[in-house]
Amino acid sequence: MDANRRQSGIQQLLAAEQEAQQIVNAARAAKSARLRQAKEEAEREIAEYRAQMEAEFQRKVAEEETATKIEQLNQQAASISPEVIQMLLRHVTTVKN
Protein backbone atom coordinates (compact mmCIF):
# COMPACT_ATOMS: atom_id res chain seq x y z
CA MET A 1 0.00 0.00 0.00
CA ASP A 2 2.86 2.29 0.62
CA ALA A 3 3.86 2.13 -3.04
CA ASN A 4 0.28 2.85 -4.12
CA ARG A 5 0.13 5.84 -1.80
CA ARG A 6 3.43 7.20 -3.17
CA GLN A 7 2.26 6.64 -6.73
CA SER A 8 -0.99 8.44 -5.92
CA GLY A 9 0.92 11.31 -4.32
CA ILE A 10 3.19 11.59 -7.36
CA GLN A 11 0.17 11.59 -9.65
CA GLN A 12 -1.42 14.35 -7.57
CA LEU A 13 1.78 16.38 -7.71
CA LEU A 14 2.01 15.94 -11.48
CA ALA A 15 -1.65 16.92 -11.88
CA ALA A 16 -1.12 19.97 -9.65
CA GLU A 17 1.96 20.91 -11.65
CA GLN A 18 0.04 20.63 -14.93
CA GLU A 19 -2.80 22.70 -13.48
CA ALA A 20 -0.34 25.34 -12.28
CA GLN A 21 1.27 25.41 -15.72
CA GLN A 22 -2.15 25.90 -17.33
CA ILE A 23 -2.91 28.76 -14.93
CA VAL A 24 0.46 30.39 -15.71
CA ASN A 25 -0.11 29.96 -19.46
CA ALA A 26 -3.60 31.44 -19.19
CA ALA A 27 -2.22 34.39 -17.20
CA ARG A 28 0.49 34.97 -19.81
CA ALA A 29 -2.07 34.85 -22.61
CA ALA A 30 -4.33 37.29 -20.74
CA LYS A 31 -1.39 39.61 -20.09
CA SER A 32 -0.37 39.45 -23.75
CA ALA A 33 -3.93 40.15 -24.88
CA ARG A 34 -4.20 43.11 -22.47
CA LEU A 35 -0.88 44.52 -23.69
CA ARG A 36 -2.08 44.25 -27.30
CA GLN A 37 -5.34 45.94 -26.37
CA ALA A 38 -3.51 48.72 -24.49
CA LYS A 39 -1.20 49.25 -27.47
CA GLU A 40 -4.16 49.49 -29.86
CA GLU A 41 -5.94 51.93 -27.54
CA ALA A 42 -2.79 54.05 -27.26
CA GLU A 43 -2.32 54.07 -31.03
CA ARG A 44 -5.96 55.08 -31.51
CA GLU A 45 -5.61 57.90 -28.96
CA ILE A 46 -2.39 59.08 -30.62
CA ALA A 47 -4.09 59.11 -34.03
CA GLU A 48 -7.04 61.08 -32.64
CA TYR A 49 -4.73 63.58 -30.93
CA ARG A 50 -2.60 63.94 -34.07
CA ALA A 51 -5.73 64.56 -36.18
CA GLN A 52 -6.98 67.11 -33.67
CA MET A 53 -3.65 68.95 -33.60
CA GLU A 54 -3.42 68.87 -37.41
CA ALA A 55 -6.93 70.32 -37.72
CA GLU A 56 -6.08 73.06 -35.23
CA PHE A 57 -2.84 73.82 -37.08
CA GLN A 58 -4.66 74.01 -40.42
CA ARG A 59 -7.27 76.33 -38.90
CA LYS A 60 -4.54 78.64 -37.58
CA VAL A 61 -2.75 78.63 -40.94
CA ALA A 62 -6.02 79.45 -42.70
CA GLU A 63 -6.69 82.30 -40.26
CA GLU A 64 -3.21 83.72 -40.80
CA GLU A 65 -3.57 83.46 -44.58
CA THR A 66 -6.96 85.16 -44.39
CA ALA A 67 -5.60 87.96 -42.22
CA THR A 68 -2.68 88.44 -44.63
CA LYS A 69 -5.03 88.53 -47.64
CA ILE A 70 -7.32 91.04 -45.92
CA GLU A 71 -4.34 93.26 -45.13
CA GLN A 72 -3.17 93.08 -48.75
CA LEU A 73 -6.64 93.98 -50.03
CA ASN A 74 -6.86 96.89 -47.59
CA GLN A 75 -3.48 98.17 -48.79
CA GLN A 76 -4.53 97.86 -52.43
CA ALA A 77 -7.82 99.63 -51.74
CA ALA A 78 -6.00 102.42 -49.91
CA SER A 79 -3.54 102.86 -52.75
CA ILE A 80 -6.18 103.16 -55.51
CA SER A 81 -8.86 104.92 -53.45
CA PRO A 82 -7.85 108.49 -54.47
CA GLU A 83 -7.87 107.52 -58.16
CA VAL A 84 -11.31 105.91 -57.87
CA ILE A 85 -12.69 108.97 -56.07
CA GLN A 86 -11.31 111.27 -58.79
CA MET A 87 -12.77 109.09 -61.54
CA LEU A 88 -16.19 109.03 -59.87
CA LEU A 89 -16.17 112.78 -59.35
CA ARG A 90 -15.20 113.33 -62.98
CA HIS A 91 -18.07 111.16 -64.23
CA VAL A 92 -20.63 112.63 -61.85
CA THR A 93 -19.71 116.23 -62.57
CA THR A 94 -19.39 115.89 -66.32
CA VAL A 95 -22.47 116.99 -68.21
CA LYS A 96 -23.12 115.55 -71.63
CA ASN A 97 -25.56 116.98 -74.09
Side-chain angles (χ1 to χ4, degrees):
M1 273 250 206
D2 221 13
N4 283 341
R5 192 190 274 171
R6 277 190 210 145
Q7 189 66 21
S8 176
I10 291 173
Q11 290 299 324
Q12 286 178 337
L13 285 174
L14 289 173
E17 184 179 357
Q18 286 179 344
E19 184 181 347
Q21 188 63 42
Q22 289 174 349
I23 291 171
V24 168
N25 289 341
R28 284 183 181 151
K31 178 182 176 184
S32 177
R34 178 61 187 128
L35 286 173
R36 258 193 319 277
Q37 181 184 6
K39 181 180 177 183
E40 290 169 359
E41 289 174 5
E43 288 173 350
R44 189 170 41 252
E45 288 178 13
I46 289 169
E48 290 173 4
Y49 180 75
R50 181 175 286 134
Q52 181 184 4
M53 291 293 104
E54 180 65 24
E56 185 176 328
F57 174 74
Q58 292 299 331
R59 183 184 54 80
K60 286 182 180 181
V61 167
E63 286 178 4
E64 290 173 1
E65 288 175 353
T66 301
T68 302
K69 187 67 174 175
I70 289 172
E71 182 61 32
Q72 289 173 348
L73 291 174
N74 285 337
Q75 288 174 355
Q76 287 176 351
S79 69
I80 63 170
S81 181
E83 294 174 26
V84 172
I85 291 172
Q86 289 302 318
M87 181 182 70
L88 286 173
L89 285 174
R90 214 174 26 250
H91 285 295
V92 169
T93 58
T94 303
V95 178
K96 292 186 178 182
N97 288 336

